[in-house]
Amino acid sequence: MLHMSKLSPESLTERTEARRVARSNALDAEVRASLGQYFTPSTAATLITSLPSLPESGVLRVLDPGAGVGNLAAALVARAATEAPELKLDVTTFEIDEQISSDLTVTLDECADTHSMTCEQHTADFITWAAAALTKGSDSPQWDLVVMNPPYRKINSKSAERGLLESCGIETSNLYTAFVALALRFLAPEGQLVAITPRSFANGSYFRKFRHDLLRRTRLRHIHVFERRDKVFSDSEVLQENVIFHTTVDQASSNVIVSVSRGYEDRPVRHSVPYEQVVDQADPQQFIHIATNAEDLSTAGRMARLPATMRDLGVQVSTGRVVDFRTKENLLREPEKESVPLLYPVNLSAGRVVWPVSGSRKPQALAFNEDTRPLVLPSGAYCLAKRFSAKEEPRRVTASLLLPDDLHGEDVAIENHINVFHQAHHGLDPDLAAGLTAYLNSSVVDQYVRIFSGHTQINAGDLRSLKYPSLKQLKSLGVKVGPSGTSDMVDAALAEVVPELDLGRADAAGIGSAASEGS
């Protein structure tokens, strides 16, 4: 049934926002945590719903699978009423909480009083409903547009939710990626999805399967980044790196728009970035690189043009084999006759290995016996990189060179918080090991890693996803820097050996354009 317009778009969003504030203030903290839901402020909702394209007429089928009090629906209706008065909206919402759902009912009624629309409201769990609907196969519903602020909460591996998701062929560890993955399966041809989520899905091994699913089914069109973690959901005291992303089905695009603002009320700065700089199709991890300024765009463009992968170099990287709490009985404070040197991150300093570290609280040796034999590597030249960096450290990636003469004996044990570059679990050519260490300690790698990684953990998968100079260039770099090069020496030598990585060069061919404009 069609309704005559009674509310202005401005009144609709203002009234919905008032309901959100009232409900958010009344919501018990434990209930909020159990649902994993943080309501979308109206200004954020306006930004989110500004990204998808709207047809001028016809019917647009819209899904909001975590609707809350309805701010996203209200913002979309307000936009349609202003920009596409001939367009009819057919909106389907899901909200599991009955009290919040009563607020949503009021919002949807007011939406219908603002613009031509019909709605189907579900007070139900979207995951349960979606799993059942997908078993219908071709009979499952389709939507032209999904708008969402999905709930954020880890999913227990033995929970009913995990079982339902696995029945749909979805493997993920958080509700927000579960909601997105399910919604993707209901998109019509040329359908669109826009969501505000944590940035964590863009890289790391935990979300690898989700990224593959997302990028196989759709193509990214726009990513919006917030510079300040405390701005978006400030009244909910949420400190989270959030992004808004817009993705489409069956719509090829050679570029991705990347925009950035401090909060949702600031005028964004936009960049048009070549798609391959955001998603490298050859990257098995399918990391999503989000460069937010001209300097980052230049760095990403330069790194993308490097010639080699780790496979091209014939090099592998693994985490250290020693998980100390699993072999406590073999840990030794000091080296003994039947022991091998044991390296922790504390042993990596200024690009080299210091062993033993006098007075360290960490064991400095591992008893060598039949149980520990599989945990050791043969003595050789290795590049070692810390898996974790402290927030106050100036570098996100810190690597150190290990040479055979640094330790005594024929073997070495390396603890699990260190990534080890090796060749078939043996040492590298010393010049290659020195070159890899210098490259990883360079300013350009540090800047590039910060583009795609929002946290201080650098896993082996992150290192595998990097592009590298050629084998010849890395060996030349190792010779030029030597075993103990300073950071200034590293950057100067890298610029000489690999000139396309010189951050001081003025040219930035291949990077996207930037313009200050609204998104």
Side-chain angles (χ1 to χ4, degrees):
M1 187 172 89
L2 299 183
H3 294 254
M4 297 296 292
S5 177
K6 297 178 183 177
L7 277 179
S8 69
E10 295 79 11
S11 296
L12 171 64
T13 55
E14 288 172 0
R15 291 161 71 103
T16 307
E17 175 66 1
R19 276 188 289 276
R20 181 196 73 85
V21 172
R23 179 59 64 185
S24 184
N25 290 339
L27 190 63
D28 181 84
E30 291 187 6
V31 173
R32 183 193 299 276
S34 68
L35 295 176
Q37 181 63 285
Y38 297 90
F39 303 138
T40 316
S42 63
T43 43
T46 298
L47 177 56
I48 294 165
T49 56
S50 73
L51 299 189
S53 59
L54 297 184
E56 294 182 357
S57 60
V59 178
L60 186 70
R61 299 167 296 176
V62 181
L63 170 66
D64 183 351
V69 303
N71 258 342
L72 283 173
L76 184 65
V77 166
R79 180 187 170 197
T82 303
E83 298 180 14
E86 301 301 317
L87 175 66
K88 180 182 177 182
L89 300 178
D90 182 6
V91 179
T92 301
T93 64
F94 286 83
E95 173 51 53
I96 192 171
D97 187 283
E98 292 186 3
Q99 289 185 316
I100 298 172
S101 196
S102 64
D103 291 330
L104 176 60
T105 300
V106 178
T107 297
L108 294 174
D109 286 343
E110 291 184 351
C111 286
D113 285 338
T114 305
H115 183 73
S116 174
M117 68 164 282
T118 56
C119 65
E120 181 177 341
Q121 182 181 356
H122 296 265
T123 303
D125 173 35
F126 176 64
I127 291 179
T128 302
W129 179 92
L134 288 171
T135 61
K136 299 177 182 179
S138 60
D139 294 330
S140 62
Q142 289 188 325
W143 283 277
D144 306 304
L145 172 62
V146 177
V147 292
M148 66 160 76
N149 171 15
Y152 176 82
R153 175 173 57 77
K154 289 185 178 180
I155 301 173
N156 188 288
S157 60
K158 300 186 182 301
S159 66
E161 295 160 328
R162 182 64 68 92
L164 289 170
L165 291 167
E166 289 176 352
S167 73
C168 302
I170 297 171
E171 184 177 334
T172 191
S173 58
N174 202 293
L175 281 180
Y176 86 87
T177 45
F179 268 55
V180 174
L182 285 168
L184 291 173
R185 286 154 171 76
F186 293 104
L187 282 177
E190 300 189 2
Q192 307 175 76
L193 182 147
V194 60
I196 182 169
T197 72
R199 182 175 172 165
S200 52
F201 76 90
N203 70 289
S205 58
Y206 288 119
F207 296 105
R208 180 178 60 84
K209 291 185 178 180
F210 169 75
R211 287 191 301 274
H212 277 270
D213 190 40
L214 172 70
L215 298 172
R216 177 174 61 87
R217 294 175 180 274
T218 64
R219 195 166 177 89
L220 290 169
R221 302 300 293 271
H222 194 136
I223 302 172
H224 183 85
V225 181
F226 298 97
E227 288 182 339
R228 292 283 301 273
R229 293 191 306 162
D230 58 348
K231 286 290 185 182
V232 182
F233 299 102
S234 56
D235 58 356
S236 299
E237 298 183 352
V238 175
L239 285 177
Q240 180 67 256
E241 290 195 65
N242 293 287
V243 297
I244 302 169
F245 66 92
H246 173 216
T247 190
T248 59
V249 178
D250 302 329
Q251 295 185 36
S253 174
S254 59
N255 293 285
V256 179
I257 299 298
V258 178
S259 56
V260 60
S261 64
R262 289 174 62 84
Y264 41 72
E265 296 174 312
D266 304 300
R267 187 174 180 81
V269 175
R270 294 159 44 108
H271 309 275
S272 180
V273 184
Y275 197 90
E276 61 272 13
Q277 286 189 25
V278 178
V279 180
D280 181 358
Q281 300 296 339
D283 175 14
Q285 295 287 329
Q286 293 286 273
F287 283 179
I288 298 172
H289 302 86
I290 308 173
T292 60
N293 55 52
E295 185 179 10
D296 286 351
L297 288 166
S298 176
T299 299
R302 295 173 193 279
M303 290 288 288
R305 294 194 294 275
L306 287 177
T309 64
M310 286 186 57
R311 179 175 295 182
D312 297 328
L313 299 174
V315 172
Q316 300 85 45
V317 64
S318 309
T319 55
R321 297 176 176 180
V322 177
V323 181
D324 54 9
F325 68 85
R326 293 178 180 168
T327 187
K328 288 182 179 180
E329 67 278 9
N330 292 303
L331 302 178
L332 304 172
R333 288 290 178 187
E334 303 289 342
E336 298 178 0
K337 185 177 180 180
E338 295 296 326
S339 71
V340 298
L342 173 58
L343 303 182
Y344 278 83
V346 70
N347 297 100
L348 310 187
S349 177
R352 292 305 309 275
V353 170
V354 178
W355 183 91
V357 174
S358 178
S360 172
R361 292 186 297 176
K362 295 295 185 181
Q364 293 295 288
L366 182 74
F368 187 70
N369 51 48
E370 288 302 313
D371 292 335
T372 61
R373 188 183 299 276
L375 304 181
V376 304
L377 291 172
S379 177
Y382 295 94
C383 171
L384 309 180
K386 295 180 182 179
R387 285 183 57 202
F388 296 89
S389 60
K391 292 185 181 296
E392 62 272 13
E393 286 192 68
R395 299 281 180 175
R396 188 65 58 87
V397 182
T398 53
S400 294
L401 176 65
L402 172 63
L403 295 174
D405 292 342
D406 294 337
L407 308 171
H408 66 69
E410 299 180 353
D411 300 289
V412 60
I414 300 173
E415 195 265 340
N416 191 248
H417 287 84
I418 297 175
N419 294 303
V420 186
F421 286 81
H422 57 87
Q423 287 181 315
H425 303 290
H426 287 74
L428 307 171
D429 175 274
D431 291 337
L432 174 58
L436 277 170
T437 303
Y439 172 66
L440 293 174
N441 284 332
S442 67
S443 297
V444 66
V445 168
D446 179 70
Q447 185 174 334
Y448 183 69
V449 168
R450 291 174 188 274
I451 294 172
F452 72 76
S453 178
H455 51 73
T456 57
Q457 182 173 344
I458 303 297
N459 290 318
D462 300 324
L463 297 169
R464 293 187 194 104
S465 292
L466 289 177
K467 298 292 287 292
Y468 291 83
S470 69
L471 185 63
K472 180 179 179 180
Q473 288 173 322
L474 285 170
K475 287 184 176 181
S476 296
L477 180 62
V479 171
K480 186 170 288 291
V481 171
S484 56
T486 64
S487 58
D488 290 342
M489 182 189 299
V490 164
D491 287 342
L494 184 63
E496 184 176 338
V497 174
V498 192
E500 59 264 42
L501 284 184
D502 182 2
L503 293 179
R505 291 178 59 181
D507 66 291
I511 70 168
S513 59
S516 293
E517 53 183 280
S519 63

